[in-house]
Amino acid sequence: MTISAQRPYRGVFPVAPTIFDASGNLDLDGQRRCIDFMIDAGSHGICILANFSEQFVLTDAERETVMHAVLEHVAGRIPVIVTTTHFSSAVCAARSREAEAAGAAMVMIMPPYHGATFRVGEPAIYEFYRVVSDAIGIPIMIQDAPVAGTPLSVDLLARMAKELGNVRYFKIEVPMAANKLRGLIEKGGSAIEGPWDGEEAITLMADLDAGATGAMTGGGYPDGIRQIIDPFFAGRRDEAVQAYARWLPLINYENRQCGLQACKVLMREGGVIKSDGVRHPLQPLHPATRAGLIEIARTLDPVVLRWGR
């Protein structure tokens, strides 16, 4: 399998955090350093403004500022996916058009939801993605994530892939993701341009075996995820399994103990950024949790811990 910056996009596309200074303001210089590190560490592409980017604490103006700063700084070096999720079809379409005009390679969108109970049914979900697909000329990645609380059946996803021109990629991060990926690939056939893994790569090996061609992980150690994906795609599965076993303790610690803060903590520890702050009401990691993350990471010598030193 060839890894390429051209479609079909494949490989490691981590989520970039949004960098804030110690006062909680956008740190655009730190953001650019973050992006440079992620490219140097082997990212085939990058996703911005996702949940792990704290998109939910940004104003609309800040979203635009971050998007333009990143896309201008990347300047075509790698593909950039911009998350444009919104409950409103019209707002999501407008965000997606803006991202395309600014140079995004793809947009990632969760199904419409708001809070614990505001959901729409499958017919409205289909129409939501149709509106966005009709508004742009770049591919859409549907983010099938528990946070949306919206069941997306394999039949619905496959139907949208076949009938909606730009619905082509699927980030599957629900329980039993591998089974869903298999079903999606079987039902969607060639319309499924990118069946992808998510959730910080906690299920990466099973998802690769199921046919995943990309992984959207946290942004702290793309070089580690490359050590798994590269041999797998080269036909050396045993080597991939061994690499997965090496990196799994760190993947697990990020997924189960730290969440979105893991990436920033590692970047600050390695001198990539000056502040690993998150926006209130999010709270800093407990010092013991932070120390545990760094301890595990040091045993693996990821690029992040030496990039800025």
Side-chain angles (χ1 to χ4, degrees), residues 52-277:
F52 258 44
S53 313
E54 297 174 75
Q55 58 89 11
F56 40 79
V57 301
L58 300 176
T59 67
D60 286 350
E62 287 174 328
R63 285 178 52 89
E64 291 188 11
T65 296
V66 171
M67 180 180 73
H68 286 288
V70 170
L71 288 168
E72 289 168 10
H73 187 64
V74 170
R77 286 180 285 170
I78 57 172
V80 177
I81 301 171
V82 176
T83 306
T84 58
T85 297
H86 197 280
F87 188 90
S88 162
S89 304
V91 173
C92 187
R95 283 183 173 183
S96 299
R97 283 193 298 267
E98 290 170 7
E100 180 180 18
M106 188 190 309
V107 292
M108 182 170 74
I109 306 169
M110 283 188 290
Y113 77 98
H114 179 72
T117 59
F118 280 51
R119 302 288 186 277
V120 299
E122 285 198 352
I125 292 170
Y126 180 97
E127 286 301 307
F128 170 84
Y129 283 108
R130 181 193 61 76
V131 168
V132 181
S133 178
D134 288 349
I136 59 176
I138 56 176
I140 295 169
M141 172 176 282
I142 294 180
Q143 183 179 5
D144 185 12
V147 67
T150 304
L152 296 171
S153 69
V154 166
D155 286 343
L156 175 63
L157 294 176
R159 179 189 167 206
M160 289 194 289
K162 291 177 177 178
E163 297 179 4
L164 304 180
N166 289 310
V167 174
R168 288 291 176 264
Y169 289 77
F170 301 84
K171 180 186 178 186
I172 306 299
E173 46 189 344
V174 293
M176 294 181 285
N179 285 343
K180 193 162 191 177
L181 283 164
R182 286 191 184 93
L184 181 60
I185 292 166
E186 179 181 353
K187 286 186 175 291
S190 61
I192 310 300
E193 185 173 320
W196 281 23
D197 164 89
E199 204 183 3
E200 298 81 73
I202 196 74
T203 60
L204 178 58
M205 201 64 229
D207 294 344
L208 289 172
D209 284 337
T213 59
M216 188 175 289
T217 63
Y221 41 97
D223 50 314
I225 307 302
R226 285 285 301 267
Q227 291 178 29
I228 304 164
I229 279 189
D230 288 359
F232 184 88
F233 287 166
R236 304 191 304 273
R237 185 179 180 278
D238 289 348
E239 184 180 332
V241 169
Q242 292 170 8
Y244 182 61
R246 284 197 309 274
W247 287 89
L248 188 56
L250 182 58
I251 293 169
N252 180 73
Y253 203 90
E254 175 181 26
N255 179 265
R256 304 299 293 175
Q257 305 299 327
C258 303
L260 61 84
Q261 298 187 49
C263 177
K264 290 188 180 184
V265 167
L266 293 173
M267 287 185 180
R268 181 184 178 190
E269 185 69 16
V272 179
I273 58 177
K274 295 178 180 178
S275 170
D276 56 19

